Amino acid sequence: MTAPTLDPQAVAPPASPFNFAQHLMALNAGRPHKAAYIDDAGTLSYGQLAERVQRMAAGLLALGLRREERVLLLMHDSSDWVVSFLGALYAGVVPVAVNTLLTAEDYAYMLQHSRSQAVLVSGALRPVIEQAMERGAHEVRHLVVSRASAAVAAPALDFEALLAQHSPLTHSAPTHGDEPGFWLYSSGSTGRPKGTTHTHANAYWTAELYGKQILSLRESDVCFSAAKLFFAYGLGNALSFPMSVGATVVLMAERPTPEATFKRWIGLQPTVFFGAPTGFAGMLASPALPAKEQVALRLCSSAGEALPADIGERFTRHYGVEIIDGIGSTEMLHIYLSNRPGQVRYGTTGWPVPGYEIELRGDDGAPVADGEPGDLYIKGPSAALLYWANREKSRETFQGGWTKSGDKYVRNADGSYTYSGRSDDMLKVSGIYVSPFEVEATLVQHPAVLEAAVVGMVDDEGLTKTRAYVVLKSGASADEAELKAFVKERLAPYKYPRRIDFIAELPKTATGKIQRFKLRELQAL
């Protein structure tokens, strides 16, 4: 198998000035009546979307926001999310898109760290962001509430009222392709999120190199992403990629359970579905799995964690559709190593995406031979600028033109790559990074817990789950359900350990460091 070569004419660098929101609106100016987004509230055409984006831009500027100031975007997936994100970009304001599954403490940190001047929030999430705003000093001057269940009273602002009060802004901010466009937060090995700063051009590059050249998305497609818009993966799937070709996007606010996903597959007939291995495994196990004749799928994408070969093979047998597995990151914005339609090797992550270079390096920094595991480094045009206000981590990750992924891979004889684990102790559960240190630090806050260690375990589907080993204090007692509930109350719910084992002592080195490899060996017994 040989990987396709890059067509340089198809991906010319954007000319300056370049505003990504204006770029997408110009691409779709000729299809004003085409459906752009179908969400839980209805359908929005490309013409309606453009007008609302320009009204949002005008509204943000009228609130006193200035070029490069940040606004926190905490919303469930809806067309209002898209309007908020693109409206901010159009105005030259920097949207900070954040995970909807976090705690008030997490949001309080993000508000302070980003110095966001305004918050755009879904009505259902307003209570948690208001708790965050009460927790410490921050610079928020405006709270704009989308789709509230009741009338929005001052000093908060109603999303629709803000749009209605302002005429569309006719000219976008004359931003440069290399200036900060938006932030996404990336989890760190200490559990403290890092503000990953992306440019206006970065989203352009992912759409051109992956959305068009690998997935070959087209105007007739209906795209549906289980990964939410606040993820780098979801942002490409449900905004940058489909809008770059004039496709239609299905959005849903609720969790992507098999039942919720099947409802959209059957009712709205998406042609391209973007998911993660855990989701595909859950759907294949569901008794409600639709028949091939009930859906219109022509292609599926998977990322977030390595796709077990068995899941891909069973899905393809059932639907006759390939799952294109790849790996991306918040730092690179989307996928840079991938299988591709007609060239799928299940059990591998595929080949380098045209436009990106891949190197595997050993501990000495030198390239490793085929078949030997090495640290994965990537060079490509969509790399983030830096982690905001974190020079140490920025230098560790962004090394000249190269980005260190934190993953280990093996290069196969045919040029494909196979995942070989993490370079650190971070775990990826259901496509989201979980720091074992953060979970351990929470467990030891329980009055009965003396020590705790968290590692990954592989389930029957080949997917990674968190497993905790706990040492109780002498004479103390606690059960698994109690400790799980304890963690859920203090951390984002997805971080709780799926299994807890009680042991007499943790294996340690002579210097007292936990030997995690011995805990992993215990699982194999």
Side-chain angles (χ1 to χ4, degrees):
M1 295 182 181
T2 57
T5 57
L6 176 68
D7 177 3
Q9 299 303 313
V11 287
S16 186
F18 179 78
N19 182 289
F20 186 62
Q22 170 60 34
H23 167 71
L24 293 180
M25 291 164 64
L27 289 177
N28 293 294
R31 50 177 73 92
H33 304 297
K34 169 79 184 295
Y37 285 91
I38 304 171
D39 69 6
D40 299 339
T43 300
L44 194 70
S45 71
Y46 271 104
Q48 292 170 322
L49 174 62
E51 179 182 349
R52 287 170 70 83
V53 166
Q54 291 176 316
R55 287 182 182 274
M56 173 56 71
L60 292 174
L61 294 177
L63 292 177
L65 291 163
R66 297 173 296 179
R67 281 272 299 271
E68 298 185 17
E69 288 186 327
R70 271 80 64 192
V71 295
L72 197 82
L73 175 52
L74 176 63
M75 286 185 179
H76 290 131
D77 276 19
S78 69
S79 61
D80 284 358
W81 196 107
V82 179
V83 168
S84 299
F85 184 83
L86 293 179
L89 288 179
Y90 194 87
V93 175
V94 178
V96 179
V98 298
N99 190 329
T100 59
L101 304 174
L102 303 180
T103 65
E105 183 178 351
D106 294 322
Y107 298 132
Y109 169 76
M110 292 172 176
L111 286 171
Q112 294 168 22
H113 181 250
S114 67
R115 301 200 299 274
S116 290
Q117 302 295 300
V119 174
L120 301 167
V121 64
S122 293
L125 295 168
R126 181 177 178 180
V128 70
I129 201 65
E130 289 183 333
Q131 291 174 34
M133 292 167 64
E134 293 170 357
R135 287 185 176 228
H138 52 77
E139 302 180 30
V140 175
R141 292 180 282 132
H142 304 285
L143 180 67
V144 182
V145 184
S146 161
R147 303 189 184 184
S149 58
V152 178
L157 303 169
D158 179 75
F159 187 94
E160 291 298 329
L162 179 66
L163 296 186
Q165 290 166 7
H166 300 283
S167 299
L169 187 67
T170 56
H171 294 91
S172 66
T175 51
H176 190 282
D178 286 339
E179 77 175 68
F182 58 96
W183 289 20
L184 301 172
Y185 271 97
S186 173
S187 295
S189 58
T190 63
R192 181 66 82 182
K194 303 186 292 292
T196 310
T197 306
H198 280 286
T199 70
H200 275 264
N202 283 1
Y204 164 87
W205 284 114
T206 61
E208 294 296 321
L209 297 176
Y210 196 75
K212 292 182 180 179
Q213 296 222 19
I214 297 297
L215 298 180
S216 299
L217 294 184
R218 44 190 184 247
E219 183 180 3
S220 59
D221 277 321
V222 178
C223 298
F224 176 32
S225 177
K228 300 300 185 180
L229 282 159
F230 61 75
F231 288 115
Y233 180 47
L235 181 64
N237 303 342
L239 194 153
S240 306
F241 297 178
M243 287 194 68
S244 72
V245 298
T248 298
V249 181
V250 173
L251 296 176
M252 70 175 182
E254 65 186 296
R255 290 177 55 247
T257 62
E259 293 73 21
T261 300
F262 298 156
K263 178 181 177 182
R264 274 78 180 180
W265 280 8
I266 295 171
L268 297 173
Q269 295 288 289
T271 57
V272 182
F273 175 72
F274 302 86
T278 300
F280 285 112
M283 289 186 287
L284 287 170
S286 171
L289 183 70
K292 177 181 179 180
E293 295 73 26
Q294 292 179 277
V295 304
L297 298 174
R298 71 170 184 85
L299 183 67
C300 289
S301 167
S302 179
E305 55 190 318
L307 179 73
D310 178 65
I311 292 176
E313 290 162 357
R314 285 192 287 134
F315 190 91
T316 298
R317 282 197 299 270
H318 184 80
Y319 286 113
V321 171
E322 295 175 320
I323 299 179
I324 309 304
D325 185 32
I327 183 175
S329 67
T330 304
E331 290 76 11
M332 294 303 295
L333 192 55
H334 212 274
I335 292 171
Y336 46 78
L337 187 61
S338 181
N339 286 272
R340 62 276 323 269
Q343 188 183 6
V344 171
R345 183 181 167 193
Y346 285 131
T348 78
T349 312
W351 294 261
V353 171
Y356 293 87
E357 296 178 48
I358 300 295
E359 281 191 5
L360 298 184
R361 303 177 187 173
D363 293 340
D364 59 357
V368 300
D370 284 3
E372 296 292 326
D375 292 315
L376 178 66
Y377 287 76
I378 316 102
K379 180 187 287 187
S382 63
L385 291 172
L386 47 74
Y387 297 130
W388 184 262
N390 195 334
R391 178 174 289 193
E392 179 183 0
K393 290 295 184 183
S394 294
R395 284 177 167 174
E396 286 179 13
T397 300
F398 306 107
Q399 303 180 11
W402 293 92
T403 299
K404 183 178 181 180
S405 72
D407 295 296
K408 285 189 179 290
Y409 265 83
V410 171
R411 187 177 187 271
N412 304 310
D414 63 357
S416 66
Y417 289 76
T418 300
Y419 181 65
S420 187
R422 287 286 298 172
S423 305
D424 54 26
D425 286 311
M426 290 291 285
L427 302 172
K428 221 168 193 184
V429 182
S430 299
I432 309 176
Y433 279 120
V434 175
S435 166
F437 308 109
E438 184 181 21
V439 182
E440 290 163 3
T442 303
L443 281 167
V444 297
Q445 293 173 27
H446 190 283
V449 175
L450 177 64
E451 293 181 303
V454 174
V455 296
M457 66 175 182
V458 179
D459 66 12
D460 293 340
E461 297 281 1
L463 301 170
T464 298
K465 306 296 182 186
T466 45
R467 182 173 182 176
Y469 292 88
V470 169
V471 179
L472 296 177
K473 295 176 181 176
S474 178
S477 63
D479 61 25
E480 184 174 13
E482 178 183 351
L483 293 184
K484 286 181 177 179
F486 184 83
V487 174
K488 286 182 180 180
E489 289 172 359
R490 288 158 178 79
L491 298 179
Y494 66 85
K495 297 181 180 180
Y496 83 95
R498 300 314 194 265
R499 176 171 170 176
I500 298 177
D501 292 287
F502 297 92
I503 58 178
E505 61 180 351
L506 296 176
K508 296 177 182 178
T509 65
T511 58
K513 185 177 181 180
I514 296 172
Q515 295 174 308
R516 296 174 189 275
F517 73 92
K518 288 191 175 180
L519 294 175
R520 297 186 187 102
E521 289 172 357
L522 280 177
Q523 298 176 166
L525 298 177

